[in-house]
Amino acid sequence: MMHGTTSAFYPAIASLDVATAMMDGPQGRWLIDEAVTEAIRFRQAVVRTGRRISAAADRPDWFFGVWQPQEVTDPATGARIAFADAPAALLATDPSCWYLEPGASWHGFDGLTDGHCLLDPVKVTITCPGVTATGETQPWGVPARVLTEYLATRAFITALDDAFHHPPTPVHPPRHCYQQLIRGGTERVRLADAAGRIAAAMVTVTPPGIPVLMPGESLGAPDGPLLRYLTALQDFDRTFPGFGSEAHGITTDPDTGDYLVECLNASRHTGR
């Protein structure tokens, strides 16, 4: 990253110009309205699903919730309406539907003034049963730690956790790798062939934007945490092109979708 900078990164500047043009005029308002409406539909669908499960009484009486008001006020009639039953047009156009009302139990904040804070409709927070917003323990629920452990058993998330909890082994100092990089002493290696190789450049995956590999570190065993994590990202990118993570220090083969990592030449370095 010695000669890298985001200022001025002209592709990013061009992207901002394109985004600005897209938001200019009626089409910009339409794009925003569409995003808000889709978020509202999702919010209401979660609540309605929870109500259906509770009403059916044929399974455990719980479901995820959404951090949002339980009721809103119809300004035309003054009547209170359940959030899940409110017209989408009302929720999409009336800011008062999103206020964190002083004293309301759903948000758990004290000392608010009327109209001071409101939710962003498109930023949805999913809640687990078990603890209220004010910190009170309910008779039954799914603790966040239990949910975290469950998610940790999923392959991709396990690979992510392992990659950050088991850092690679350093073999050479970064300055040595940089000298090799500028002198042509490196080569790009497919992940499938990268086990035991020594990285010549930093690898950072965004999100989360934290380096998983530094110059001079070993990529480890074929079934090690780092290669499993990068392979999971590679497989995701192949399955969902255009929706992958941004991996700095990784080059993607345009024909095969293989991740290529800049490594020290094997002929010059044994890794010992």
Side-chain angles (χ1 to χ4, degrees):
M1 299 296 288
M2 181 180 294
H3 302 294
T5 176
T6 57
S7 306
F9 185 55
Y10 292 104
I13 294 175
S15 176
L16 292 174
D17 289 341
V18 170
T20 301
M22 290 174 62
M23 300 306 297
D24 186 29
Q27 67 271 20
R29 179 62 179 266
W30 184 87
L31 289 171
I32 293 295
D33 288 346
E34 182 185 38
V36 171
T37 299
E38 288 300 317
I40 289 171
R41 289 173 176 168
F42 174 76
R43 288 172 175 273
Q44 292 183 317
V46 172
V47 177
R48 290 168 181 167
T49 300
R51 291 196 311 200
R52 286 198 301 270
I53 290 175
S54 179
D58 59 352
R59 66 190 76 181
D61 185 18
W62 76 273
F63 193 67
F64 298 102
V66 183
W67 193 64
Q68 62 193 16
Q70 279 82 38
E71 294 182 335
V72 297
T73 300
D74 185 345
T77 64
R80 298 286 286 176
I81 312 171
F83 186 95
D85 301 326
L90 171 62
L91 297 176
T93 58
D94 190 345
S96 68
C97 295
W98 303 95
Y99 287 160
L100 276 68
E101 298 174 333
S105 61
W106 67 266
H107 56 68
F109 289 103
D110 296 326
L112 298 179
T113 56
D114 192 26
H116 180 68
C117 297
L118 69 161
L119 295 180
D120 182 342
V122 300
K123 294 180 179 178
V124 184
T125 300
I126 303 298
T127 62
C128 291
V131 179
T132 68
T134 57
E136 298 173 354
T137 302
Q138 297 173 322
W140 190 91
V142 181
R145 184 172 181 84
V146 172
L147 179 61
T148 300
E149 290 297 324
Y150 168 77
L151 293 175
T153 63
R154 307 299 100 179
F156 178 81
I157 297 177
T158 300
L160 172 62
D161 291 341
D162 287 347
F164 286 104
H165 283 90
H166 300 87
T169 301
V171 179
H172 296 290
R175 64 179 179 273
H176 170 78
C177 299
Y178 177 70
Q179 293 299 321
Q180 295 299 316
L181 184 66
I182 63 177
R183 286 175 168 79
T186 65
E187 58 185 335
R188 290 177 178 174
V189 181
R190 296 187 311 130
L191 285 185
D193 304 322
R197 299 295 298 268
I198 310 302
M202 181 173 64
V203 174
T204 302
V205 179
T206 304
I210 301 172
V212 294
L213 186 67
M214 294 296 291
E217 292 181 335
S218 171
L219 277 87
D223 59 348
L226 178 64
L227 284 176
R228 287 197 299 113
Y229 173 52
L230 293 177
T231 300
L233 291 176
Q234 173 184 265
D235 294 344
F236 181 91
D237 289 358
R238 285 171 171 164
T239 306
F240 304 101
F243 293 92
S245 300
E246 183 177 356
H248 300 277
I250 294 286
T251 303
T252 303
D253 187 306
D255 298 323
T256 65
D258 288 345
Y259 274 10
L260 307 175
V261 183
E262 199 74 31
C263 297
L264 298 180
N265 277 340
S267 61
R268 302 186 188 183
H269 300 83
T270 63
R272 294 192 296 272

